[in-house]
Amino acid sequence: MRRYLNTMSLKSKVTLAFVLLILLPFIGLGLYTYDQTQRYMRDQLIANSQMTLKQVKSTIENKLDLIESVSNSITYNYRLQQFLAAPYSQANNSIDDYFSYAVPLINYAMLFQKINTEKISVYMSNETIPEGFGAFYHETKAIQESWYDTFKHSEKKSAWVMRSSLELGKTFGYMQKMISLEDHDLGFTLVDVRPSDLLDPISRISESNQHIVLMDDHNHILFPEGSITADRAPSLMPPPSGSYVIQDNQLFISEPLKGLGLSMLMTITLPRSFGSLQVVTNLAFLTAMVLLLFAFYSVLKIALRKMKTSIGQMAHAIESGFVPIPIDRQDEFGVITEKFNLLLNKINLLMKDMIRQETIHKDAQLIALQSQINPHFIYNTLDMFSAKMELAGQFDVSDAMADFGKMMRYNMDGQFRFTTLEAEIRYLEQYMNLQKIKYGDNIELRIQVPDRLLSFHIIRFILQPIVENSIKHGLSQQGPLRILLDISVQPDNTLLLSIRDNGLGIPNERLDILNERFRTSTYTPSSSVRRESIGLGNINERLKLYYGEEYAIRLGSNEGHYAETILIIPYDDREED
């Protein structure tokens, strides 16, 4: 796969990347958006429908509660129960109770209510009480009803039934048994209400795309009669409360009605127009993406053709001796051509400079070969003078002359920047031998260094300038100058070089200024009379250059007692070999 990609042209790679990284992801995003939109709309429709159905259910159940409340006000009326339980006779004023209390109770219940009750009936088990007033009947009148035996011999005290009579037609009736305090059966009450009054919210909610029907346990539609859903509802099992069923682009939601033992089934026709619109939108989106792909491919093809032409011009410019390419465009390719011409100009300049430097280098090599004669002449001359002094008996001058010759040889051997600690100490000792010719026993150098450190490599010319500075600033008339060179390895794996003298020391203010200048490399100008030692500044800069900014020179002093120069450099015991 990688080999195949490497062989593909840039145009093919960019087109493939566009298809894989832009076109296909956008197609997937469009399909996902379409699916999520459909799901969201369906969920919203289901949620709104469920809420609507629950509101209808709540309204109907409130009406059922009102009807049951009316029935309770009659069934549990104590005076009415006394009237129905006592033998009827005109002697004990039963007729007065009939007219003055029982009948008005039913009439008031019919008038003072929040629902249109069709009829309130009292079925009496006491046959001594005459029927009348369109509300009081003997219980035997209800024996022929299909629901009578089931209700009469059940333990239920109340029940809702669907009734059909010649007088009232189809009604919903709420029956409630009348039991006296002495637990005697007094009969039952029956409150009839028309379906259109009880189920009025169902009729009002029906719209063009949604309908609500009332169904029994056998999935028969009871209300409204002649519903458009009646022909298909028997084949559909109503879903449980809180769930839904989608069948043939129809959404079905149901809710049970408490007490009636029936279920409300809402049918919603799912909209198809939105789905069609989404399909058209997605097709338009995909078509636009394909057209954009072809447009992108065409523009890319033109750009790559120009790139190929520019590459050919660059190759010709290189073969023809770095001749600049003419610039005929102001776009990115023109900028690339301009930068390429600058690069050709730089190459020409560098080639000329390299030729010049090579010539200078050859000349320098010739001069260096010629100049090697001069140092050897000086060394031989100094050796001749030293031998002449020794023959004359001036041994101290002869030794000093020999040390001076060795120092000159050490100074002129500038091929290497580093040397061993042993060679640096030897050079320092040769310098002290020369100083003793002038100062005699007034100066003394002691060296404390472990033998295992003598082979360690350090920068050349860092000890002698410090000792020279001690002699220059520390020597006094009060006594000889004692200089101690102490070299040791520290616990943090660094090498500490300490050059300490018992000279005049440095004032505290001056000491702080010098340490700050060594740390920041801000030295006093050369014209100042208080300029720091050139040698110490040189050593400080070389230490920071080779080892790091944190390895600057540090000075310590107690005025009138001593001055100390401290150098710290990284130590690696592997370098001793």
Side-chain angles (χ1 to χ4, degrees):
M1 183 65 180
R2 180 178 298 177
R3 181 180 301 175
Y4 174 72
L5 290 176
N6 291 333
T7 58
M8 292 177 61
S9 63
L10 181 61
K11 177 175 63 177
S12 301
K13 289 180 181 178
V14 175
T15 304
L16 180 62
F18 179 80
V19 172
L20 296 179
L21 302 179
I22 299 178
L23 183 61
L24 292 181
F26 268 89
I27 292 175
L29 181 61
L31 295 176
Y32 175 77
T33 304
Y34 170 74
D35 179 69
Q36 291 299 313
T37 303
Q38 290 290 86
R39 289 176 180 270
Y40 174 77
M41 292 192 63
R42 186 188 65 185
D43 293 341
Q44 286 294 105
L45 179 62
I46 292 173
N48 294 336
S49 301
Q50 288 177 337
M51 181 178 296
T52 301
L53 191 60
K54 288 182 181 295
Q55 291 176 348
V56 173
K57 173 185 175 180
S58 176
T59 303
I60 295 176
E61 288 183 345
N62 287 337
K63 291 185 177 183
L64 294 177
D65 292 338
L66 289 174
I67 294 172
E68 292 176 3
S69 177
V70 171
S71 177
N72 290 335
S73 65
I74 298 172
T75 304
Y76 296 104
N77 188 280
Y78 181 68
R79 290 184 61 183
L80 179 61
Q81 288 184 358
Q82 285 184 328
F83 171 75
L84 297 177
Y88 184 85
S89 66
Q90 296 183 356
N92 55 8
N93 298 324
S94 295
I95 189 66
D96 295 334
D97 293 336
Y98 209 161
F99 280 100
S100 63
Y101 184 77
V103 174
L105 178 64
I106 303 300
N107 294 332
Y108 291 152
M110 289 288 294
L111 294 175
F112 296 98
Q113 56 183 321
K114 296 181 181 180
I115 183 173
N116 293 328
T117 303
E118 186 66 20
K119 185 177 181 180
I120 299 178
S121 304
V122 178
Y123 288 86
M124 307 170 292
S125 59
N126 187 355
E127 295 186 355
T128 62
I129 301 175
E131 297 177 337
F133 308 103
F136 292 88
Y137 303 93
H138 290 154
E139 191 172 345
T140 54
K141 288 290 183 68
I143 293 178
Q144 302 301 324
E145 297 285 347
S146 58
W147 43 263
Y148 175 79
D149 289 335
T150 303
F151 174 68
K152 189 65 177 179
H153 299 93
S154 67
E155 296 182 356
K156 294 181 179 179
K157 293 185 178 180
S158 61
W160 280 92
V161 294
M162 186 76 176
R163 301 180 65 236
S164 179
S165 63
L166 296 176
E167 180 185 0
L168 301 178
K170 289 186 177 181
T171 59
F172 284 99
Y174 180 68
M175 303 176 299
Q176 195 167 192
K177 294 178 181 179
M178 300 182 67
I179 308 296
S180 67
L181 297 178
E182 292 80 11
D183 201 24
H184 296 309
D185 181 15
L186 304 179
F188 62 92
T189 58
L190 176 61
V191 181
D192 287 298
V193 60
R194 291 187 180 276
S196 58
D197 293 330
L198 180 62
L199 306 177
D200 179 62
I202 294 179
S203 303
R204 291 201 306 266
I205 205 64
S206 295
E207 298 178 0
S208 60
N209 67 329
Q210 63 181 13
H211 304 275
I212 301 178
V213 297
L214 192 65
M215 303 177 64
D216 59 14
D217 295 339
H218 302 290
N219 299 336
H220 295 154
I221 295 180
L222 304 179
F223 182 86
E225 295 180 351
S227 171
I228 61 174
T229 317
D231 58 342
R232 58 179 301 155
S235 63
L236 177 69
M237 181 65 66
S241 176
S243 62
Y244 61 90
V245 172
I246 297 178
Q247 179 178 326
D248 298 333
N249 203 43
Q250 299 286 324
L251 173 65
F252 297 94
I253 305 172
S254 69
E255 286 288 341
L257 283 176
K258 179 184 66 176
L260 292 181
L262 305 176
S263 298
M264 291 189 302
L265 179 66
M266 174 180 277
T267 306
I268 303 101
T269 302
L270 297 178
R272 295 181 182 272
S273 58
F274 180 79
S276 301
L277 179 61
Q278 283 293 313
V279 172
V280 172
T281 303
N282 284 338
L283 289 176
F285 174 77
L286 294 178
T287 303
M289 292 300 297
V290 172
L291 293 176
L292 288 175
L293 175 62
F294 281 109
F296 176 79
Y297 179 80
S298 301
V299 174
L300 179 63
K301 186 176 180 179
I302 296 173
L304 292 177
R305 185 186 300 119
K306 179 56 184 175
M307 182 183 295
K308 186 176 181 180
T309 303
S310 298
I311 293 174
Q313 291 176 341
M314 291 178 184
H316 181 267
I318 294 173
E319 294 174 357
S320 60
F322 304 109
V323 177
I325 302 173
I327 302 175
D328 57 354
R329 298 172 66 96
Q330 301 298 324
D331 56 4
E332 288 79 2
F333 291 106
V335 175
I336 292 175
T337 302
E338 181 183 358
K339 299 301 180 183
F340 183 76
N341 289 337
L342 291 176
L343 179 61
L344 293 180
N345 186 38
K346 287 284 186 182
I347 292 175
N348 286 326
L349 293 176
L350 289 175
M351 290 180 63
K352 293 179 181 179
D353 189 60
M354 287 178 62
I355 294 173
R356 183 178 61 83
Q357 290 184 6
E358 185 68 21
T359 303
I360 294 174
H361 180 65
K362 293 295 183 181
D363 294 340
Q365 285 182 333
L366 292 174
I367 295 173
L369 291 173
Q370 293 175 358
S371 65
Q372 287 180 358
I373 302 174
N374 294 333
H376 286 288
F377 173 74
I378 295 174
Y379 304 152
N380 294 335
T381 303
L382 290 174
D383 288 340
M384 182 182 64
F385 288 158
S386 177
K388 188 68 175 178
M389 295 295 181
E390 187 174 356
L391 291 175
Q394 298 181 2
F395 299 105
D396 54 346
V397 178
S398 175
D399 292 339
M401 192 72 68
D403 288 336
F404 180 66
K406 294 176 183 178
M407 291 180 66
M408 288 192 64
R409 186 183 298 272
Y410 186 81
N411 285 332
M412 293 181 180
D413 187 11
Q415 182 178 1
F416 302 102
R417 296 186 179 92
F418 288 84
T419 185
T420 62
L421 190 58
E422 181 180 11
E424 189 74 4
I425 292 175
R426 188 184 304 115
Y427 178 76
L428 178 61
E429 291 174 338
Q430 292 166 356
Y431 169 77
M432 290 299 295
N433 290 337
L434 292 178
Q435 296 298 318
K436 281 183 174 294
I437 294 177
K438 178 179 180 181
Y439 296 107
D441 294 335
N442 285 330
I443 59 173
E444 178 184 347
L445 174 66
R446 289 191 300 122
I447 300 175
Q448 296 180 357
V449 54
D451 293 339
R452 64 185 180 90
L453 299 180
L454 294 177
S455 61
F456 184 75
H457 284 72
I458 61 174
I459 303 175
R460 293 163 59 93
F461 303 115
I462 62 173
L463 297 180
Q464 183 269 331
I466 298 175
V467 173
E468 180 181 357
N469 190 69
S470 296
I471 295 174
K472 179 179 178 181
H473 297 285
L475 196 63
S476 65
Q477 302 296 329
Q478 299 178 357
L481 180 67
R482 303 288 184 261
I483 302 174
L484 172 62
L485 170 61
D486 187 8
I487 303 176
S488 60
V489 179
Q490 300 303 301
D492 60 350
N493 207 32
T494 57
L495 193 68
L496 185 143
L497 295 86
S498 170
I499 298 93
R500 179 167 178 161
D501 64 69
N502 62 342
L504 298 176
I506 307 171
N508 291 334
E509 298 81 1
R510 179 67 176 165
L511 181 66
D512 294 337
I513 294 174
L514 290 176
N515 281 325
E516 179 65 19
R517 288 176 177 174
F518 286 133
R519 186 182 66 84
T520 59
S521 298
T522 53
Y523 306 108
T524 306
S526 57
S527 58
S528 174
V529 296
R530 296 182 61 109
R531 185 173 186 266
E532 299 84 8
S533 170
I534 298 177
L536 291 184
N538 180 280
I539 294 171
N540 185 66
E541 292 306 307
R542 287 191 291 136
L543 287 173
K544 294 168 71 174
L545 176 64
Y546 285 107
Y547 300 119
E549 292 292 328
E550 66 271 22
Y551 294 100
I553 290 178
R554 289 187 298 169
L555 298 179
S557 178
N558 187 349
E559 187 176 6
H561 294 84
Y562 74 90
E564 182 179 16
T565 303
I566 298 175
L567 310 181
I568 297 179
I569 61 177
Y571 173 71
D572 188 350
D573 54 4
R574 292 177 294 183
E575 296 183 7
E576 298 173 7
D577 298 332

